[in-house]
Amino acid sequence: MNSPNSSGNFRPFKDLQALLEEKAIELKPVSTPKPNESNEFDAKKVDERPDRIIFEEAMADVKKISRSNFAAPSHTAFNHPNSDKNFEYDEYECLLQLKELIEFGTGFVVSLTPEYVEGTANKASPEVARRLHRGYFSIQAHIDLHGLGVHAAHHAFDGFLNKSIMAGKRAVLIIHGRGLSSPYEPVLKTKVYQWLTTAPWHKWVIAFTSARLCDGGTGATYVLLRHQPLTKRFRKKFL
C-alpha cells in the first residue's frame, strides 16, 4: 500500500484557505472622508502669507525686557571640595594649576624662563648642556654662596672648584641665589657666570646650566668639569 507522501499528490496546505476563512475576524468598515469634506489639515487652511508677517503678528503682544532687569544665564558651576564657594569649572582649573605651580612647581619649565643661563665650551655639543640641566649627571659636590659679599664669594668659589678638580669631581652645584633683592641685575649670579667663562676656570669647564627646581632653579648653577684643562690651542670664549 502506497503512503500519501509517496504518491506525489501530498498537499498539506490544501485546506488552509478554508481554515483562514472560518477563523477570520470581521473588521469594522473604515469611513473615508469625501473629497469635498472639510479637514483642518486641508491645503486650503495653510496660511500663505509671508513668514515675516506671520511672525510679527504672533509677537504683537510681546514686551521687551529691560536690560536692568533680566535673568542672568545659568552656567554649570564646579564646587571645590575644600571651599564653600562655587567656581566656574575653567576658572577652578586655572586656580588648581596655579596652586600646583606654587606648591610643587608643576608645569614650570626653568629653561623657558628669562633667568635661565647656559654655556658650553668650544666644540662641546649643546646637547651636553641640555643633559646637564635635565639631571643626567649626578651632582658630586655643592657650595652655597648665599650671604657672602663678592670678594668672599669669589674666594670661596675658587677654593671649591680647586678642591673639586683635585678630588676628581665632574658635576658640581653652585648656589648663588636669584638676586631678587638687587636693585638691578643679580650680583652673585652674574659674577658666577663671569668666573666660569674667564680665566683661570673656563679651561676646566665643559658646560654649565641653571639647575632644576629641586636643586634651586635659576638660583643655582650646574657645572660639568674636565679631568684635564683644555689647552690654549682649542680654547675659545664660551658661547
Side-chain angles (χ1 to χ4, degrees):
M1 182 177 181
N2 294 331
S3 65
N5 292 342
S6 61
S7 64
N9 297 320
F10 178 64
R11 295 182 297 171
F13 301 110
K14 67 177 181 178
D15 298 326
L16 181 60
Q17 181 64 34
L19 180 63
L20 291 175
E21 292 176 355
E22 179 184 349
K23 301 294 184 179
I25 300 174
E26 185 178 356
L27 300 176
K28 294 181 180 181
V30 179
S31 59
T32 57
K34 297 179 181 180
N36 59 352
E37 198 172 321
S38 61
N39 192 310
E40 61 178 340
F41 298 104
D42 198 328
K44 295 180 180 179
K45 297 294 184 179
V46 176
D47 196 336
E48 297 181 352
R49 293 179 299 169
D51 292 343
R52 180 180 60 81
I53 296 177
I54 298 175
F55 176 78
E56 291 177 352
E57 182 179 309
M59 296 292 106
D61 298 332
V62 176
K63 296 181 180 180
K64 185 177 181 181
I65 300 177
S66 173
R67 295 295 298 173
S68 60
N69 184 21
F70 68 98
S74 61
H75 299 282
T76 302
F78 186 89
N79 187 20
H80 191 284
N82 299 324
S83 175
D84 295 332
K85 297 182 179 180
N86 290 333
F87 298 101
E88 297 293 339
Y89 182 77
D90 54 349
E91 181 180 357
Y92 171 69
E93 282 294 307
C94 293
L95 293 176
L96 182 61
Q97 292 179 11
L98 181 60
K99 180 181 178 181
E100 293 287 327
L101 174 62
I102 294 174
E103 294 185 1
F104 309 108
T106 305
F108 183 81
V109 182
V110 175
S111 59
L112 299 180
T113 64
E115 297 182 44
Y116 177 78
V117 295
E118 176 183 297
T120 53
N122 181 44
K123 295 188 177 181
S125 172
E127 181 62 22
V128 176
R130 287 192 286 269
R131 291 171 67 87
L132 179 63
H133 173 68
R134 294 170 186 166
Y136 281 77
F137 299 91
S138 178
I139 301 302
Q140 299 170 303
H142 74 279
I143 185 173
D144 191 348
L145 303 179
H146 269 117
L148 300 179
V150 174
H151 180 74
H154 194 181
H155 180 74
F157 175 87
D158 288 345
F160 171 71
L161 284 192
N162 183 65
K163 183 179 178 180
S164 298
I165 292 172
M166 294 296 293
K169 308 292 186 183
R170 298 298 308 276
V172 298
L173 174 67
I174 301 173
I175 304 171
H176 43 66
R178 296 172 60 191
L180 298 180
S181 60
S182 301
Y184 302 105
E185 61 181 11
V187 178
L188 285 183
K189 181 177 180 178
T190 304
K191 286 297 182 181
V192 168
Y193 181 91
Q194 177 183 336
W195 298 334
L196 289 172
T197 55
T198 57
W201 299 114
H202 69 293
K203 61 184 178 181
W204 291 95
V205 176
I206 300 175
F208 63 87
T209 72
S210 292
R212 295 179 296 164
L213 284 177
C214 59
D215 288 328
T218 55
T221 300
Y222 295 137
V223 183
L224 188 63
L225 299 171
R226 300 178 185 275
H227 282 311
Q228 298 292 333
L230 191 66
T231 61
K232 187 175 180 180
R233 177 182 177 184
F234 299 101
R235 202 184 314 148
K236 287 185 179 181
K237 189 175 182 180
F238 277 73
L239 300 178

